[in-house]
Amino acid sequence: MSARYQVTGTTAVEISASIESGIRTAALPPGSALPPVRALATELAVSPATVARAYQELRQRGLVATAGRHGTRVRSRPPVAASRAALAPPRAPGLRDLAAGEPDPGLLPPLGPHLAALAADAGPPVSYSGAGVLPELAEAARARLAADGVPAGELTLTGGALDGIERLLGAHLRPGDAVAVEDPGWANLLDLVAALGLRPIGVPVDDEGPVLAGVAAALAAGARALIVTSRAQNPTGAAVSAARAAALRELLADRPDLLLIEDDHAAELARVPLHPLAGATPSWAFLRSASKPFGPDLRLAVLVGDETTVARVAGRTRVGAGWVSTVLQRLLLALWRDPAVAELVDRAADSYDRRRDALLVALAERGLSGQGRSGINVWLPVPDETSAVTALRDGGWSVAPGALYRIAGPPGLRITVSSLADADIGPLADAVARAVRPPRPTGFTA
């Protein structure tokens, strides 16, 4: 913990508020260690139980995390507004950024022409009572999902995949409930689970998706929900295979109490076929967002599922945000209907596959085995994340440490390929090999 910040308070509420204030003002930046319970209790002249309650409240709200002998630390992205400088990871000038996890801006469709066309045909303003899911968008979405084997009777929209997952979990679960999540998995999702006061249970992932034994163990441990990434899993690139989907369906068939959530965030960018689990449990939802193929600013996801689940999400949206902007809906529909946009998305998918596969081959030629069956990321297991990230940074490359994505899984690196040129592959693979297996120091000889 920063030596400049002093926690104050004599009650659990006051202590937790003091720590939250430190996080909000960036006096306690992400990763800061909090004092041990007994040490802070002595400093504040309160009982250890009082400090423990304060830490528990902060953990339940997702502001801090406790990891055994590593103590209690501020989470990497706590759910409280702070200065942008405190939230942004440190970036050294001149580094090639392979840590962002974002699509190549040059392969995103231009929105200007479609926005201009919408402006020219805006029509009368939308009323509060008349807003909602546009019938023409719903019809087009159902057709696209049906082509991938996803049943799409009940449908609503959310402000992106993560917004949809938050609404689903909030409608079905309560703080303290257990959620089975992929490990390693999407950092934003792990942060959301913590912020909702839910208990994550990590499920190992291989190239074919969540490992069956891991899912079974999570269910036996009391998981009330299971979240699966259909394709382009972040950070490993896993994609649920036909065989894995069949095995998971069989495993989930006798779990009527389980909420099943599928996230197909890559959508049109994924070249591997979709093998959905939709309908494997009575309560299920399938999400497909627009951000990866069409641009991060398109905060819109199609959500389909069983009647009760979709009704809960739609009802909660109605009493909150109300609806997803019909301007965004019309924009997405125009993008879907434009053959030139479809061609550009196809070209982007080909480009990402080529770059990802080339990096995996180059790493294999240097004796390193990575994962990356689909998507824009490569996951590389390493003996030590800190030394590997540091060595790569010294060599001019910025990659993401696996700790951002792991619960209990082994260490690794996430390398985003979307900004790589063909000429970068060899030098990057060489740098990674040196970082993962640094040369042994030579000793003196007699």
Side-chain angles (χ1 to χ4, degrees):
M1 187 177 70
S2 172
R4 296 188 299 275
Y5 189 80
Q6 296 297 317
V7 177
T8 60
T10 58
T11 67
V13 171
E14 291 173 348
I15 294 169
S16 65
S18 173
I19 294 171
E20 179 178 348
S21 177
I23 296 171
R24 188 174 60 252
T25 60
L28 290 173
S32 298
L34 300 184
V37 168
R38 292 189 179 278
L40 185 57
T42 299
E43 179 182 334
L44 299 178
V46 299
S47 73
T50 298
V51 176
R53 283 197 301 273
Y55 282 12
Q56 180 184 32
E57 193 268 342
L58 293 166
R59 280 195 302 273
Q60 289 175 341
R61 293 179 50 222
L63 273 70
V64 304
T66 300
R69 60 186 178 85
H70 297 292
T72 300
R73 293 180 177 272
V74 178
R75 291 183 62 88
S76 59
R77 286 176 295 184
V80 60
S83 69
R84 298 291 300 176
L87 294 176
R91 299 283 175 85
L95 293 185
R96 286 294 306 277
D97 184 7
L98 308 181
E102 297 187 2
D104 183 348
L107 293 175
L108 294 174
L111 303 183
H114 293 286
L115 289 170
L118 291 178
D121 187 30
V126 173
S127 66
Y128 287 105
S129 59
V133 180
L134 297 177
E136 56 268 40
L137 179 75
E139 180 182 359
R142 287 191 175 97
R144 296 170 81 91
L145 291 171
D148 281 330
V150 180
E154 301 300 324
L155 181 149
T156 190
L157 301 177
T158 64
L162 203 64
D163 177 56
I165 294 173
E166 178 176 6
R167 294 180 186 280
L168 288 162
L169 294 176
H172 283 79
L173 276 65
R174 296 294 177 265
D177 285 346
V179 181
V181 294
E182 295 157 338
D183 184 17
W186 188 16
N188 288 15
L189 175 60
L190 299 181
D191 290 342
L192 173 64
V193 167
L196 294 175
L198 302 172
R199 178 167 55 91
I201 301 178
V203 175
V205 178
D206 63 16
D207 282 341
E208 297 185 64
V211 174
L212 203 63
V215 175
L219 298 180
R224 294 280 316 282
L226 168 65
I227 305 174
V228 176
T229 308
S230 304
R231 304 176 285 190
Q233 196 264 0
N234 187 359
T236 70
V240 177
S241 66
R244 185 63 51 81
L248 287 170
R249 280 182 168 276
E250 183 177 354
L251 177 63
L252 301 177
D254 60 349
R255 290 303 304 262
D257 58 331
L258 183 77
L259 170 64
L260 172 64
I261 302 174
E262 290 180 272
D263 176 15
D264 187 36
H265 69 99
E268 293 86 351
L269 281 180
R271 286 299 189 183
V272 293
L274 179 71
H275 299 290
L277 301 174
T281 59
S283 297
W284 65 275
F286 183 97
L287 284 151
R288 177 173 286 177
S289 60
S291 296
K292 280 295 191 300
F294 303 112
D297 205 28
L298 278 164
R299 312 309 300 163
L300 186 155
V302 175
L303 186 155
V304 296
D306 67 276
E307 182 179 0
T308 298
T309 294
V310 174
R312 287 181 180 181
V313 172
R316 183 64 183 86
T317 301
R318 187 168 55 249
V319 299
W323 68 92
V324 172
S325 166
T326 54
V327 174
L328 279 182
Q329 294 185 52
R330 294 174 64 204
L331 175 59
L332 179 59
L333 187 59
L335 293 170
W336 280 350
R337 290 172 170 173
D338 187 345
V341 170
E343 182 180 344
L344 180 58
V345 172
D346 282 343
R347 190 159 71 246
D350 288 339
S351 176
Y352 296 143
D353 281 359
R354 186 187 71 250
R355 301 184 221 190
R356 190 187 64 251
D357 292 345
L359 179 58
L360 287 169
V361 169
L363 291 172
E365 290 172 348
R366 291 154 179 81
L368 301 175
S369 179
Q371 287 179 259
R373 187 172 169 223
S374 58
I376 63 174
N377 297 306
V378 164
W379 176 259
L380 181 67
V382 297
D384 184 274
E385 290 177 9
T386 302
S387 62
V389 169
T390 301
L392 283 166
R393 182 194 62 201
D394 293 344
W397 305 92
S398 173
V399 302
L404 295 173
Y405 315 97
R406 296 187 290 109
I407 299 173
L413 305 176
R414 193 195 73 173
I415 305 172
T416 301
V417 303
S418 52
S419 66
L420 285 177
D422 292 343
D424 296 328
I425 301 295
L428 172 60
D430 287 336
V432 172
R434 289 192 298 269
V436 174
R437 295 195 302 264
R440 295 180 180 179
T442 57
F444 291 103
T445 58

